[in-house]
Amino acid sequence: MNSSDIIAAIALVISVATAIGDIVVSRNINKVNLHSYYFNEIYREHLIAKIPKARKRISLNYNGRLAGYEDMIQEMKDLQNDSLFYKYNDEKYFAKLKEAAQNVEDFLIAGVGETFVGEEQTRFMEELHNLMTELYKTLNNQYVK
Amino acid sequence: MVNRFELDFNKALTKLSGFDLGKDMYDEQIGKTIDFDKDITIVIPDRVDLIGSSFIQGFFEEIVNNIGISGIEERITVLSSIPNIKQIIIDNLN
């Protein structure tokens, strides 16, 4: 075997390795694209429209009572249902999403009928904000996975 | 065996939420005597006007394990002041 044979062999190995690398990279890109596609299909309306609109309706009225909570409670239920794809595709994420959505739902349910005065009102709205932030964090983390 | 269950709990409670509450209520009031071979009736007091998905999932967990969601559709009657309660329950099971 002379030096040109060796160079040819090396060039062949490099070509094959590059081709395999390209296939692997391409597959990963496709996987990311598909993941992105599913996420957008499932959550676009929830993130852009439904959750913000439902959140806007929630307030503590002049009596210190919770008002406008119904849409958000329903939206948290709908969000869980629409996420069922992930129950079979990413069980850990589904459990986290369910927990975050139910935390919002249960917090609002517990507040219905209660009377909040002064500092209690601030604390209630802050806690709601925290729970909504946690929900969005859970969703965002899934998107950038 | 009578397979009708009227839920009995603190009269101040008008909203039901929480997985653990649902599961405990099932275990204490239904779990020991339910007959899965027969039709089942569950009566939720009329004063209850709101039920969370967490409660539904906790309460119906064992029922789903035994007869599935289709079994709930076919063989369970739920009486409540909440309109379309059965559909709400089915929609919130996963």
Side-chain angles (χ1 to χ4, degrees):
Chain A
M1 201 182 229
N2 59 30
S3 57
S4 61
D5 290 338
I6 294 169
I7 290 168
I10 292 171
L12 180 63
V13 166
I14 290 172
S15 301
V16 168
T18 304
I20 291 171
D22 283 348
I23 290 169
V24 168
V25 166
S26 178
R27 272 211 186 130
N28 282 340
I29 289 173
N30 285 342
K31 209 167 145 185
V32 166
N33 284 343
L34 191 59
H35 169 74
S36 209
Y37 172 78
Y38 285 144
F39 187 93
N40 283 330
E41 277 294 299
I42 292 167
Y43 293 121
R44 174 197 269 276
E45 272 307 297
H46 288 289
L47 289 170
I48 292 172
K50 291 179 182 177
I51 295 175
K53 279 185 185 162
R55 174 60 190 92
K56 217 165 65 167
R57 298 199 67 228
I58 298 173
S59 66
L60 293 170
N61 67 16
Y62 63 93
N63 280 333
R65 297 197 149 209
L66 188 60
Y69 56 84
E70 297 88 347
D71 283 0
M72 185 60 85
I73 286 176
Q74 186 58 50
E75 169 57 14
M76 291 299 102
K77 291 179 161 122
D78 292 344
L79 188 65
Q80 290 175 68
N81 257 331
D82 288 350
S83 300
L84 278 170
F85 162 80
Y86 289 105
K87 186 178 180 185
Y88 307 102
N89 186 269
D90 189 340
E91 210 174 340
K92 269 191 192 157
Y93 160 72
F94 179 72
K96 277 191 195 149
L97 184 281
K98 199 164 85 159
E99 186 184 352
Q102 285 182 351
N103 282 345
V104 173
E105 194 189 346
D106 289 349
F107 179 73
L108 289 172
I109 290 174
V112 174
E114 296 292 320
T115 302
F116 299 95
V117 293
E119 199 48 41
E120 290 170 348
Q121 295 189 0
T122 309
R123 273 200 300 269
F124 181 89
M125 297 312 265
E126 269 175 9
E127 181 58 19
L128 178 60
H129 178 80
N130 291 341
L131 290 170
M132 296 298 308
T133 301
E134 209 40 53
L135 176 67
Y136 267 87
K137 211 196 283 183
T138 303
L139 287 158
N140 286 339
N141 285 346
Q142 179 63 8
Y143 181 71
V144 300
K145 217 166 159 182
Chain B
M1 180 194 290
V2 174
N3 228 16
R4 179 187 169 98
F5 303 92
E6 296 193 26
L7 299 184
D8 178 29
F9 47 84
N10 186 335
K11 290 194 173 16
L13 212 49
T14 60
K15 323 282 170 219
L16 300 176
S17 67
F19 185 94
D20 290 344
L21 177 65
K23 186 151 174 48
D24 288 347
M25 202 174 287
Y26 171 86
D27 287 343
E28 285 157 19
Q29 300 191 36
I30 295 183
K32 295 179 183 111
T33 52
I34 192 169
D35 182 352
F36 287 112
D37 292 325
K38 297 193 169 78
D39 288 350
I40 300 158
T41 300
I42 297 170
V43 183
I44 301 171
D46 281 352
R47 68 179 184 278
V48 174
D49 55 14
L50 191 53
I51 300 185
S53 60
S54 54
F55 178 89
I56 290 170
Q57 288 164 22
F59 187 90
F60 283 91
E61 186 184 43
E62 268 312 297
I63 297 177
V64 169
N65 287 343
N66 278 278
I67 62 173
I69 294 176
S70 59
I72 292 174
E73 280 175 327
E74 289 157 17
R75 298 188 15 224
I76 293 195
T77 301
V78 183
L79 302 177
S80 164
S81 61
I82 299 173
N84 301 317
I85 183 63
K86 191 159 161 192
Q87 194 56 52
I88 289 170
I89 288 165
I90 288 165
D91 286 348
N92 283 283
L93 291 170
N94 51 48

